[in-house]
Amino acid sequence: AQSVTQPDIHITVSEGASLELRCNYSYGATPYLFWYVQSPGQGLQLLLKYFSGDTLVQGIKGFEAEFKRSQSSFNLRKPSVHWSDAAEYFCAVARGSTLGRLYFGRGTQLTVWP
Amino acid sequence: IAGITQAPTSQILAAGRRMTLRCTQDMRHNAMYWYRQDLGLGLRLIHYSNTAGTTGKGEVPDGYSVSRANTDDFPLTLASAVPSQTSVYFCASSEDSLRGNEQFFGPGTRLTVL
């Protein structure tokens, strides 16, 4: 069963516009949640993660994400997108007794118009 | 510090041939992972190792084998490659597999099976 859903395959925004990438998970208890970014031809880099505590987490490169238990969501946001943010973004979860094993969403490709 | 290195960078392979993808990390991480990335499917876990000497199956283990003789190396072997194994393969490591630690990714190996 799909643990992580990223509903948007491709998003296009203008430089300077705000951004929100959606992520929903299916798991009864609170999972460990991650957002990774992949630039073309590169491996994945961690943007931020949520384990517990404050539901708004800050990450690198000006990104933040908010955990909403009631909506089973962990959406990624950035107030003002830069052209260098164009990349593919992956939401991932680790859960229960297999905390070391990540289950990835299918990714959202972000295009930034100048 | 190199982090995680993978070799080769890319490879074209005839179906039926045996191939070993190499992965080495210098962070003394206990846990290591192999993922394959396919367009529209995100990353899927092939095999993992919680610590040297142990391995386990992920979501898509068929046709692949791994070994973990020491902490640093985690090779992935395709005993008899098939075209459906054409993919980009990423090796990753984390400090341990118990607490959902950040996974660090290598640059990937692009494999084409003809």
Side-chain angles (χ1 to χ4, degrees), chain A residues 23-25 27-35 48-57 64-77 93:
Chain A
C23 173
N24 294 96
Y25 66 90
Y27 181 58
T30 300
Y32 288 17
L33 297 158
F34 306 79
W35 274 100
L48 48 78
K49 60 186 178 184
Y50 173 78
F51 288 177
S52 64
D54 193 344
T55 57
L56 184 64
V57 294
E64 66 178 25
E66 185 172 13
F67 169 63
K68 293 186 177 180
R69 183 190 304 275
S70 62
Q71 300 177 17
S72 297
S73 69
F74 188 57
N75 294 347
L76 182 71
R77 301 195 295 247
V93 302

Side-chain angles (χ1 to χ4, degrees), chain A residues 3-106:
Chain A
S3 297
V4 185
T5 302
Q6 293 180 247
D8 304 304
I9 296 173
H10 194 178
I11 285 183
T12 300
V13 299
S14 298
E15 190 169 19
S18 63
L19 172 70
E20 182 170 32
L21 303 182
R22 296 183 291 166
C23 173
N24 294 96
Y25 66 90
S26 56
Y27 181 58
T30 300
Y32 288 17
L33 297 158
F34 306 79
W35 274 100
Y36 281 84
V37 60
Q38 183 181 31
S39 298
Q42 308 269 329
L44 278 70
Q45 180 185 21
L46 181 70
L47 285 175
L48 48 78
K49 60 186 178 184
Y50 173 78
F51 288 177
S52 64
D54 193 344
T55 57
L56 184 64
V57 294
Q58 302 297 321
I60 62 171
K61 305 184 180 185
F63 285 92
E64 66 178 25
E66 185 172 13
F67 169 63
K68 293 186 177 180
R69 183 190 304 275
S70 62
Q71 300 177 17
S72 297
S73 69
F74 188 57
N75 294 347
L76 182 71
R77 301 195 295 247
K78 187 169 185 178
S80 178
V81 170
H82 188 262
W83 63 267
S84 61
D85 293 324
E88 189 152 24
Y89 292 80
F90 292 95
C91 183
V93 302
R95 60 191 189 189
S97 60
T98 60
L99 284 176
R101 294 163 58 180
L102 292 180
Y103 296 85
F104 284 85
R106 298 182 177 185

